[in-house]
Amino acid sequence: RNQVTFFEVATLEAEPVYKGKGKDNHVNIKLKRFLPSLAEVPEKEIAALQERAIKHGFDFIDFWAVDFDFKDGQPFKHHWQAYRTRKDRSLPTVSDQDFVYEKPGRYTACVKVVDTFGCDTSITVPIEI
C-alpha cells in the first residue's frame, strides 16, 4: 500500500510593499508564497498536483483580497481584490491599491485567498508607518 503525503492546511505568506516617505507613504501587499491545501483532492490526482503546487502555488489562487486596516473581531473589509475570470486567467501577485494611512503607527493588514478548490485562507501582515 502506498503512503500518500498531502498538504492538510494551506500555507500563505505575504509582505508589505512601501512606496514614498512619511505622509506620502503608500502601502501595497505582495504575495510571497502560496501552497494550497490538497486535503480534498482525490488520491489518484495528488502526486501530479503536489509537484505543481510546490512549483507554481499561485496558479491555484482564484481570488485574493486585502483589508489594509484589519481589526481583530471586526468583519473583513475588501479594500482591494483581484480574481481570475474565464476570459482572463492572469492574476497579479501585488496589490495596486496604494493604500495611505492617515497617521504614523502600527497597523495590521489581512490577506484573504480563495483557491481553486474553494478553500479560504487568511493571514495578517504587520504594517509600520
Side-chain angles (χ1 to χ4, degrees):
R1 185 175 169 152
N2 291 342
Q3 189 72 25
V4 177
T5 304
F6 54 86
F7 309 117
E8 290 283 342
V9 178
T11 301
L12 176 60
E13 295 175 17
E15 66 186 5
V17 176
Y18 300 99
K19 294 176 3 185
K21 297 268 188 230
K23 280 184 153 182
D24 296 326
N25 197 351
H26 300 256
V27 179
N28 284 300
I29 298 292
K30 176 183 181 179
L31 297 179
K32 288 177 59 179
R33 184 170 179 247
F34 180 70
L35 277 174
S37 168
L38 299 178
E40 300 298 319
V41 174
E43 195 170 319
K44 62 185 175 191
E45 297 175 31
I46 281 284
L49 287 178
Q50 246 181 344
E51 188 174 330
R52 184 170 163 220
I54 291 169
K55 290 182 179 176
H56 307 286
F58 294 146
D59 289 355
F60 290 86
I61 297 174
D62 261 350
F63 167 88
W64 72 287
V66 180
D67 179 344
F68 282 94
D69 196 15
F70 181 72
K71 306 263 191 300
D72 207 18
Q74 297 290 316
F76 183 94
K77 295 180 189 86
H78 289 78
H79 291 130
W80 181 89
Q81 62 190 17
Y83 51 90
R84 296 182 199 274
T85 65
R86 288 180 192 243
K87 289 183 180 180
D88 184 2
R89 300 303 297 157
S90 66
L91 188 78
T93 56
V94 180
S95 68
D96 59 3
Q97 176 70 28
D98 289 338
F99 193 86
V100 177
Y101 294 92
E102 294 192 18
K103 294 189 255 181
R106 291 180 180 196
Y107 298 89
T108 301
C110 184
V111 179
K112 180 185 288 195
V113 166
V114 177
D115 65 30
T116 55
F117 306 110
C119 298
D120 188 317
T121 304
S122 298
I123 61 165
T124 57
V125 177
I127 308 286
E128 198 158 330
I129 302 299

